[in-house]
Amino acid sequence: MYSKSGVGNLEYELANIPLKMDNLSINHPIIEQLWQSPPEPINQILDAPSPPAILLSPNREWMVELERPLLVPISLLAETAVPLAGLLINPKTNAPAHPNPFQTMRIRGFPFLEMSKTVALPDNAQIGYLKWSPDSRKLAFTLTQATGLELWFVDVADFIPKQLTQPVLNAAYGKPYRWLSDETLICKFILGERPKPPSEPAVPPGPLIQENLKGKSPTRTYTNLLQNPHDEALLEYYLTSTLEKVTLHGQRTLLVSSSLIHEAIPSPDSKFILLTTLHRPFSYQVPISYFPKKIEVIEDTGKWVYEVADVPLVVRRTTKFDEVRTGRRGISWRSDAKATLSWLEALDEGDPTRDVPKRDALFELDAPFTDTPKQLWESEYRFANLAWGKEDVALVSERWYDTRKERIWRIYPQAPQTPPQLLFDRSYEDKYTDPGSALMTVGPYRYRVLRFAPQGNIIYLSGQGASPNGAYPFLDWFDLETGHKQRLWQCQDPYLEEIACVLDDEAQTVIIRRQSQTEPPNYFLLNRHENQSPIALTHYQDPAPQLAGVYGELVKYQRADGVQLSAKLYLPPGYDAKRDGPLPMLFWVYPEEFKDKEFAGQITKSENTFSRPSRASVLFLLTQRYAVLSGPTLPIIGEGDLEPNDTYVEQLIAGAQAAVDYVVERGIADPKRIGISGHSYGAFTTVNLLIHTDLFRIGIARSGAYNRTLTPFGFQGEQRNFWEAQQTYIHMSPFTHAAKIKAPLLLIHGEKDTNPGTYPLQTERLYEALKGLGATVRLVVLPLEDHGYRSREGVAHALWEMVNWCDKYLS
């Protein structure tokens, strides 16, 4: 139930490519080949323009439409990137490497769109980091040049873009700038006379030594970490900034001299800045988010005011998900007050294994930060979320992973002695009782706060509306005093409509995002109290009209033990079951863990979605006359003291068998021509199903992990380490049972995968094992690609591989 942001992004996500490998047997040479393109119309669809991303102004009077290609050229991924502490930094721009910037910007009057203007920017503009001013009159943004990021802004009074700085912004870590007031910004700048980056010594100065002399320090598997003192020097080089105040006339005032600045966040009244800086000692074991940091308050003049916390290097002591660090954490400004800090402190030393009555405490401290901090609330579970409203209303939630329990409370910030009011007490696995998220609005101090109805302490809740019949998003009115809830609106068939934003305190006029099986997503203006159809605000077209005849259906079936299951079934355009008979079909899978059998089979999908493939989506196979069963629910349940993964394989088999039985009994799939596929944990699942069943004729596994001994301190929803659940880790690992794979298996992996646990070695070692065992297997390593594939060349080639594999072994 928490802060729901405004209009969502209309971007699509997903992607893939081939490989370079050494030391292969002479009997299995590398296949030299160029990039391949998938058959039409797939290749054509890949170049279709994607709908713009949408950004609304805080006052909802202006809408920005931003366009960019969905896929980037492989040359972009080939640009130099420096891996440091989990970051990938472009050394030329001092910003994150391999971005996909926006290329055009159009500002439209909203909601009636009576005024529209394309902002005239330099040729080949690379737009990023957009942020509206508090008064919604100016829009700031960056333009990336060859040597760095420039700061620009455009005023809606004339729509003329103006340059504020040279390419000197520092975006290596954290936001490069923020609005301080309607006329002033604070910016992180690269040092004026910065020398060249430190060079790596030709001769190592000594050995690299790490030690652990006492205590446990379990960490998951991360990539791009610091490796040596030279990396440490590079990290300091690229992250060192000054903090300066910049007016809209370009005047600059130094606030903070050179420091490793992470964030600088103005207070709601703009008089103070919450400054976070990093400091040594760094770590070679964890990414930068774990590094020591100092959090302080300074005035808008740069004068130091108050040290909030000096946080040491965070060292994990357990693999439990509810572990947190000790000391003050979650430090932020209270959004409904002028300048009040809030933070959390663990009451159990951050250790979820300790038996204590309370876990966390919420504190606040008003400017000038000289009084004793005031405690507002204590939680029995781990703190989860917070939404400020006004002096007597804030909403806080607490969760506990082991039980999947969630509680949502109303607290009284002005009178913390008042007992908190319990609003909801539920399992967060239970989607049917999800109350939704509280809608927010811009408060008197420019930050987002709860939106209240004029009648008093009444808020609005917007949710997905999961139900046995599918998902039907809703808008509710909720009385905080009585707990009474009233439904104001809910979408109806044949549409999937979601609340994008509410335009008034009465929630009479709202913006909805509407789609159906035949209509692409667009935004509409809806007046709830007028008997008229919603007014279309955007008119985005079908990006893949070649798939206009695709049939999509939300199907339901049952596992052998009675657990209800569901999936989205897609059939090719023009398919007729009586005429065409059973089709070759590919499953696209991704399992999920549950603690309660009752909730495992709940339906959270809508039948009314506009389904078009993007990037390396399996739905592209519909164009080649394959059917697709997308997202068949594969719940892995562990009730009470049992852990879900202790029976992972057995439950996986049962779920897959139920799905196969359903599509075969319906006569739409040929049992001898069903394949299994998935990405990441879905790839892990794919290979397990090839091992433990004979249900599938082929497998396609993308960017997966297959040997759980290489992720010994937990993975996915598993909290136990390898030595606590050794048999579970081994039994779940496809690598252990590789000799059982008989079906042809296509393995695809991004060469530069940075996702924890799914490094390319996982796929390379599985390939080597299967090759040695005589299996039919093909390994495709996509150069320069990460966990999700992004390049036009890589995605096209991945789709070519998938189509060819299906044509060869499944059709």
Side-chain angles (χ1 to χ4, degrees):
M1 169 178 167
Y2 277 98
S3 165
K4 179 165 181 165
S5 58
V7 173
N9 204 319
L10 283 180
E11 299 170 83
Y12 296 103
E13 288 293 330
L14 219 53
N16 261 5
I17 272 182
L19 255 201
K20 197 170 169 189
M21 296 172 23
D22 298 320
N23 302 322
L24 287 184
S25 162
I26 191 169
N27 296 319
H28 298 82
I30 296 174
I31 301 173
E32 295 290 349
Q33 64 182 21
L34 302 175
W35 298 115
Q36 301 290 337
S37 295
E40 299 297 348
I42 300 175
N43 201 48
Q44 178 185 358
I45 295 172
L46 288 179
D47 293 322
S50 58
I54 300 300
L55 178 65
L56 286 183
S57 63
N59 65 3
R60 300 301 190 248
E61 292 183 4
W62 301 96
M63 180 177 78
V64 185
E65 292 179 325
L66 299 152
E67 296 182 351
R68 63 182 170 190
L70 183 63
L71 302 174
V72 301
I74 193 70
S75 58
L76 176 69
L77 302 188
E79 291 179 354
T80 302
V82 181
L84 297 170
L87 306 175
L88 272 177
I89 299 172
N90 184 324
K92 295 181 180 178
T93 63
N94 221 99
H98 311 146
N100 186 11
F102 298 108
Q103 297 177 344
T104 63
M105 179 195 308
R106 188 174 186 84
I107 300 178
R108 310 175 72 179
F110 195 77
F112 298 106
L113 310 180
E114 67 278 1
M115 183 182 297
S116 181
K117 180 73 173 179
T118 297
V119 179
L121 294 171
D123 292 340
N124 303 313
Q126 299 183 43
I127 309 164
Y129 294 103
L130 294 99
K131 186 71 175 176
W132 282 100
S133 62
D135 64 0
S136 298
R137 303 299 301 171
K138 279 81 64 178
L139 177 66
F141 56 94
T142 64
L143 289 185
T144 301
Q145 305 296 350
T147 58
L149 272 63
E150 301 169 342
L151 181 61
W152 290 63
F153 81 97
V154 60
D155 193 316
V156 295
D158 57 18
F159 297 102
I160 299 174
K162 302 176 181 65
Q163 183 177 348
L164 280 179
T165 75
Q166 295 300 309
V168 292
L169 288 180
N170 192 335
Y173 185 44
K175 296 286 191 294
Y177 75 90
R178 292 180 186 269
W179 286 96
L180 180 64
S181 66
D182 295 333
E183 302 294 325
T184 309
L185 304 100
I186 50 175
C187 304
K188 293 160 52 180
F189 286 134
I190 296 166
L191 301 188
E193 299 297 328
R194 188 170 68 166
K196 291 183 178 180
S199 57
E200 187 170 9
V203 178
L208 298 176
I209 300 172
Q210 300 182 51
E211 63 181 9
N212 183 66
L213 301 181
K214 64 176 182 178
K216 298 178 181 179
S217 181
T219 57
R220 290 203 170 193
T221 47
Y222 299 103
T223 58
N224 294 334
L225 301 179
L226 299 181
Q227 301 290 323
N228 50 49
H230 177 244
D231 281 355
E232 296 187 58
L234 285 175
L235 184 72
E236 291 185 321
Y237 177 84
Y238 289 114
L239 267 60
T240 297
S241 306
T242 60
L243 184 69
E244 300 187 29
K245 187 188 300 184
V246 181
T247 71
L248 296 184
H249 299 292
Q251 297 173 326
R252 292 170 51 171
T253 305
L254 180 66
L255 301 179
V256 178
S257 58
S258 59
S259 303
L260 298 180
I261 301 174
H262 174 210
E263 288 287 5
I265 304 174
S267 60
D269 67 359
S270 301
K271 293 182 179 180
F272 300 94
I273 298 169
L274 186 62
L275 178 69
T276 301
T277 56
L278 305 172
H279 62 80
R280 289 177 179 266
F282 302 148
S283 171
Y284 295 3
Q285 298 294 316
V286 292
I288 196 169
S289 58
Y290 288 77
F291 285 12
K293 58 180 68 74
K294 184 174 288 188
I295 305 170
E296 303 166 285
V297 175
I298 62 174
E299 291 182 352
D300 65 340
T301 61
K303 178 183 177 182
W304 183 90
V305 176
Y306 177 66
E307 182 178 297
V308 188
D310 191 348
V311 182
L313 178 70
V314 178
V315 178
R316 295 212 63 181
R317 296 156 293 170
T318 172
T319 54
K320 301 285 278 186
F321 292 164
D322 284 317
E323 183 192 12
V324 296
R325 66 171 175 82
T326 56
R328 296 178 178 180
R329 73 179 202 278
I331 301 162
S332 62
W333 293 111
R334 180 172 160 178
S335 61
D336 62 338
K338 292 181 178 180
T340 298
L341 291 169
S342 70
W343 66 80
L344 297 155
E345 293 185 32
L347 303 176
D348 59 359
E349 298 183 3
D351 184 355
T353 65
R354 289 171 57 89
D355 185 13
V356 297
K358 299 290 184 180
R359 296 288 175 185
D360 282 326
L362 174 66
F363 292 89
E364 73 170 17
L365 180 62
D366 296 330
F369 317 108
T370 54
D371 292 339
T372 301
K374 180 170 63 175
Q375 181 173 314
L376 302 181
W377 179 67
E378 289 184 345
S379 66
E380 183 178 340
Y381 306 151
R382 186 66 71 210
F383 169 87
N385 214 332
L386 169 64
W388 297 103
K390 51 187 179 180
E391 290 183 341
D392 64 341
V393 178
L395 301 183
V396 291
S397 70
E398 55 178 342
R399 284 188 169 195
W400 198 245
Y401 182 80
D402 284 350
T403 60
R404 312 302 200 266
K405 292 296 185 182
E406 176 186 61
R407 290 176 182 158
I408 300 174
W409 302 82
R410 171 197 176 171
I411 62 172
Y412 302 78
Q414 190 179 32
Q417 68 278 5
T418 303
Q421 176 188 357
L422 181 61
L423 302 178
F424 300 98
D425 187 353
R426 53 187 293 276
S427 168
Y428 62 79
E429 290 184 337
D430 185 2
K431 305 304 182 184
Y432 291 175
T433 64
D434 187 349
S437 300
L439 295 184
M440 311 293 283
T441 188
V442 177
Y445 303 110
R446 75 184 184 148
Y447 276 42
R448 296 179 64 77
V449 297
L450 293 168
R451 182 185 282 279
F452 292 93
Q455 298 93 319
N457 287 332
I458 293 173
I459 62 173
Y460 297 102
L461 304 176
S462 176
Q464 290 303 304
S467 75
N469 296 318
Y472 293 89
F474 63 84
L475 176 67
D476 280 353
W477 173 95
F478 184 75
D479 191 326
L480 293 171
E481 302 295 342
T482 66
H484 176 65
K485 185 164 54 174
Q486 179 180 340
R487 183 128 307 171
L488 302 178
W489 169 89
Q490 188 162 22
C491 87
Q492 303 293 326
D493 292 329
Y495 298 110
L496 171 61
E497 297 171 325
E498 303 167 275
I499 297 291
C501 65
V502 171
L503 298 181
D504 58 274
D505 288 343
E506 294 82 6
Q508 177 174 326
T509 307
V510 301
I511 305 298
I512 59 173
R513 183 174 184 263
R514 170 192 278 190
Q515 61 183 300
S516 71
Q517 287 199 25
T518 58
E519 300 176 22
N522 272 290
Y523 291 96
F524 289 77
L525 180 69
L526 171 67
N527 189 313
R528 296 192 304 105
H529 298 304
E530 293 183 6
N531 188 22
Q532 62 184 34
S533 299
I535 301 171
L537 301 178
T538 59
H539 303 274
Y540 305 134
Q541 302 302 304
D542 185 348
Q546 302 91 334
L547 289 168
V550 163
Y551 174 81
E553 178 187 355
L554 178 64
V555 299
K556 308 169 191 176
Y557 49 97
Q558 186 172 283
R559 205 166 74 174
D561 59 359
V563 174
Q564 297 297 315
L565 305 176
S566 63
K568 278 300 285 289
L569 171 66
Y570 294 97
L571 300 173
Y575 170 74
D576 182 278
K578 292 182 180 179
R579 181 191 67 214
D580 301 326
L583 290 171
M585 178 178 286
L586 198 65
F587 285 17
W588 185 259
V589 297
Y590 200 97
E592 185 177 356
E593 297 92 343
F594 289 88
K595 287 298 292 181
D596 195 315
K597 181 179 180 179
E598 178 186 354
F599 308 135
Q602 290 187 342
I603 296 172
T604 59
K605 307 180 184 74
S606 171
E607 193 167 55
N608 300 322
T609 54
F610 182 76
S611 301
R612 292 294 183 270
S614 62
R615 297 203 175 178
S617 170
V618 70
L619 295 184
F620 275 116
L621 286 169
L622 292 165
T623 67
Q624 309 303 305
R625 305 300 294 172
Y626 292 94
V628 174
L629 191 71
S630 178
T633 48
L634 296 171
I636 311 299
I637 306 163
E639 296 187 306
D641 294 333
L642 297 177
E643 289 297 325
N645 283 338
D646 289 341
T647 54
Y648 167 86
V649 171
E650 294 80 0
Q651 295 191 68
L652 197 63
I653 294 170
Q657 183 69 62
V660 168
D661 290 345
Y662 175 80
V663 295
V664 170
E665 289 170 7
R666 254 188 77 165
I668 53 178
D670 180 349
K672 296 181 180 180
R673 294 188 297 165
I674 300 178
I676 186 77
S677 59
H679 189 95
S680 194
Y681 203 52
F684 172 78
T685 300
T686 291
V687 182
N688 261 315
L689 284 170
L690 292 183
I691 288 168
H692 298 290
T693 78
D694 59 359
L695 297 171
F696 303 102
R697 295 300 168 260
I698 69 162
I700 301 175
R702 300 189 336 205
S703 298
Y706 310 105
N707 184 346
R708 287 303 168 196
T709 67
L710 299 178
T711 57
F713 290 106
F715 58 91
Q716 205 68 10
E718 179 58 67
Q719 297 185 96
R720 300 168 297 178
N721 67 42
F722 171 77
W723 297 273
E724 293 170 329
Q726 193 169 115
Q727 286 307 116
T728 296
Y729 271 65
I730 292 174
H731 189 46
M732 287 181 69
S733 293
F735 188 84
T736 308
H737 312 283
K740 297 180 181 179
I741 295 179
K742 305 304 179 185
L745 176 60
L746 172 63
L747 296 169
I748 303 176
H749 212 117
E751 180 191 32
K752 300 294 186 180
D753 194 333
T754 60
N755 186 57
T758 59
Y759 30 76
L761 176 68
Q762 290 270 7
T763 294
E764 292 166 6
R765 289 293 177 263
L766 180 62
Y767 171 78
E768 290 292 335
L770 293 173
K771 175 177 67 91
L773 293 165
T776 301
V777 60
R778 179 178 173 91
L779 171 61
V780 180
V781 179
L782 305 178
L784 307 176
E785 294 286 2
D786 205 322
H787 191 60
Y789 317 138
R790 300 178 54 210
S791 76
R792 175 61 169 82
E793 294 86 345
V795 168
H797 191 95
L799 290 169
W800 179 81
E801 293 281 357
M802 293 169 66
V803 170
N804 278 7
W805 202 251
C806 290
D807 287 350
K808 187 173 184 178
Y809 295 109
L810 191 61
S811 63

